[in-house]
């Protein structure tokens, strides 16, 4: 009994860990500000570098227990995100910001490392080994108050790049999205490309229809010719023509033989009754007198006096 309870507990724990791992895989490093000179301030009124994590799923994810790892000067520094804090629960499609101020004593959202001379930063799962997301950083190329992060490009793909403005706790796509038809209109203001494209499409469709009808017509004409040839060959007794391979097959009987057979069958039918002794011939006979209709055989007979 104890073994069964232990096994059930282990299975439930594995299921919870599996579900948690599956949810945390939907997290990603969305935006990084390395040199914060005159930008976003924390709850203490201080400015420091920060990292924004984005929940890309439509369910709440608890990031508690995961790790943030920074690599600087060839050395790695790990920060374990505390568990049991409501601040670590990231709402659906929401964001959470960790301030990299280096002390790790100000609360859950303050790491024990900075991004000075950082080469990369990674988000790890609860085991501290599985990488959920990782971003390379070139510290020397970072500009003051200019962040880097994911942004949707003109072709509709997302790319980690320099952002036009910092967007803490918000989407990085601050530029208005231009519809495809509007971009096409900007590319072709006079409609020349559209007109040429439409003409080419119409010509292509007509050409395809012409080829299809031409091939169908040739097939139907050839089929009619083969049937006509087969019909003429059958009538002339020269043989029939196969519709599949066009080979001639000679008829087993000629016209004279068929006529002789037909005449023999006709004579056989006319003389059939002369040779059969069991044939009954019933002729109609007219009789003026019938004992069944005679009055002398009536039911009543009167006495003669």
């Amino acid at each position: 009994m104890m073994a069964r309870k232990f096994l059930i507990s282990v299975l439930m724990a594995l299921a919870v860990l599996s579900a948690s791992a599956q949810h945390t895989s939907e997290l990603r490093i969305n935006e990084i500000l390395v040199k914060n000179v005159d930008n976003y301030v924390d709850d203490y009124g201080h400015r420091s570098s920060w990292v924004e994590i984005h929940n890309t799923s439509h369910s709440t994810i608890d990031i508690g227990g995961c790790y943030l790892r920074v690599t600087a000067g060839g050395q790695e520094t790990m920060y374990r995100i505390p568990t049991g804090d409501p601040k670590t629960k990231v709402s659906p499609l929401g964001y959470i910001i960790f301030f990299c101020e280096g002390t790790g004593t100000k609360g859950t959202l303050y790491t024990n490392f900075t991004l000075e001379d950082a080469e990369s930063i990674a988000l790890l799962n609860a085991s501290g080994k599985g990488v959920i997301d990782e971003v390379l950083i070139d510290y020397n190329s970072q500009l003051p108050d200019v962040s880097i992060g994911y942004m949707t490009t003109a072709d509709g793909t997302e790319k980690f790049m320099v952002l036009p403005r910092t967007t803490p706790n918000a989407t990085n796509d601050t530029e208005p999205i231009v519809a495809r038809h509007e971009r096409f209109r900007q590319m072709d203001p006079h409609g020349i490309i559209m007109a040429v494209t439409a003409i080419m499409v119409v010509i292509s469709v007509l050409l395809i229809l012409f080829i299809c009808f031409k091939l169908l017509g040739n097939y139907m004409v050839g089929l009619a010719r083969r049937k006509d040839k087969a019909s003429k060959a059958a009538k002339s007794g020269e043989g029939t023509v196969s519709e599949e391979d066009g080979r001639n097959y000679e008829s087993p009987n000629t016209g004279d033989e068929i006529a002789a057979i037909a005449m023999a069958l006709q004579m056989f039918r006319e003389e059939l009754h002369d040779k059969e002794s069991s044939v009954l011939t019933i002729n109609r006979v007219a009789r003026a007198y019938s004992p069944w209709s005679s009055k002398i055989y009536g039911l009543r007979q009167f006495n003669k006096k």
Side-chain angles (χ1 to χ4, degrees):
M1 190 68 177
M2 295 296 295
R4 179 181 295 180
K5 290 183 178 180
F6 177 76
L7 180 59
I8 294 175
S9 301
V10 171
L11 292 177
M12 291 180 63
L14 291 175
V16 171
L17 291 175
S18 176
S20 176
Q22 183 178 3
H23 285 138
T24 56
S25 64
E26 303 294 334
L27 298 171
R28 75 175 184 184
I29 300 174
N30 190 60
E31 186 177 0
I32 302 173
L33 179 60
V34 177
K35 298 179 181 180
N36 188 356
V37 178
D38 191 18
N39 201 270
Y40 191 58
V41 297
D42 60 14
D43 295 337
Y44 297 92
H46 299 157
R47 292 183 175 87
S48 61
S49 55
W50 47 267
V51 178
E52 180 187 67
I53 308 297
H54 176 40
N55 177 10
T56 61
S57 70
H58 292 272
S59 59
T60 300
I61 299 177
D62 191 352
I63 198 174
C66 295
Y67 291 83
L68 285 173
R69 182 188 68 191
V70 67
T71 303
Q75 296 182 352
E76 295 182 352
T77 304
M78 303 275 287
Y79 172 70
R80 184 180 184 274
I81 303 172
T83 58
D85 192 338
K87 294 181 181 179
T88 61
K89 294 183 178 180
V90 189
S91 59
L93 303 178
Y95 305 86
I96 184 173
I97 292 179
F98 291 91
F99 296 95
C100 306
E101 50 87 33
T103 61
T105 59
K106 293 183 178 180
T108 301
L109 304 182
Y110 294 83
T111 67
N112 58 349
F113 58 78
T114 65
L115 296 183
E116 185 176 358
D117 296 330
E119 301 169 359
S120 67
I121 185 169
L123 175 64
L124 310 179
N125 58 19
S127 67
K129 298 180 180 180
V131 178
I132 300 174
D133 192 17
E134 185 174 10
V135 175
L136 299 179
I137 302 174
D138 185 2
Y139 180 81
N140 296 325
S141 64
Q142 301 300 312
L143 299 176
D145 298 329
V146 178
S147 62
I148 56 177
Y150 282 103
M151 186 173 179
T152 305
T153 59
D155 57 358
T157 60
E158 286 189 326
K159 184 179 179 181
F160 205 87
M161 57 191 296
V162 176
L163 302 179
R165 61 178 63 89
T166 57
T167 57
N169 290 318
T171 178
N172 300 336
D173 295 324
T174 57
E175 299 295 330
I177 300 176
V178 182
R180 292 183 178 181
H181 68 275
E182 182 62 23
R183 293 200 300 267
F184 188 81
R185 188 189 67 81
Q186 295 175 1
M187 293 173 54
D188 185 27
H190 301 289
I192 297 176
I193 299 177
M194 176 64 73
V196 173
T197 303
I199 293 173
M200 294 301 296
V201 169
V202 172
I203 293 176
S204 301
V205 172
L206 292 177
L207 182 61
I208 293 173
L209 290 175
F210 171 77
I211 294 174
C212 292
F213 282 115
K214 184 68 175 178
L215 294 175
L216 181 61
N218 292 338
Y219 173 76
M220 297 303 295
V221 170
L223 183 62
R225 289 178 178 175
R226 287 195 297 270
K227 288 184 177 181
D228 184 61
K229 187 175 181 180
S231 177
K232 291 180 178 180
K235 290 180 180 179
S236 62
E238 297 177 354
T240 58
V241 180
S242 173
E243 295 183 0
E244 296 181 355
D245 52 12
R247 292 179 294 178
N248 293 331
Y249 295 94
E250 295 295 334
S251 176
N253 301 310
T254 61
D256 296 339
E257 293 176 349
I258 294 174
I261 293 172
M263 292 179 65
L265 291 174
Q266 181 65 23
M267 293 176 65
F268 175 75
R269 291 182 60 186
E270 291 178 352
E271 299 176 358
L272 183 62
H273 292 299
D274 296 336
K275 297 180 180 180
E276 293 180 359
S277 58
S278 60
V279 174
L280 298 178
T281 302
I282 300 176
N283 296 325
R284 183 177 181 181
V285 178
R287 292 184 179 180
Y289 168 77
S290 174
W292 299 101
S293 62
S294 177
K295 293 181 180 180
I296 63 175
Y297 298 104
L299 296 177
R300 288 185 178 184
Q301 294 186 5
F302 299 96
N303 295 328
K304 295 182 181 181
K305 296 180 179 182

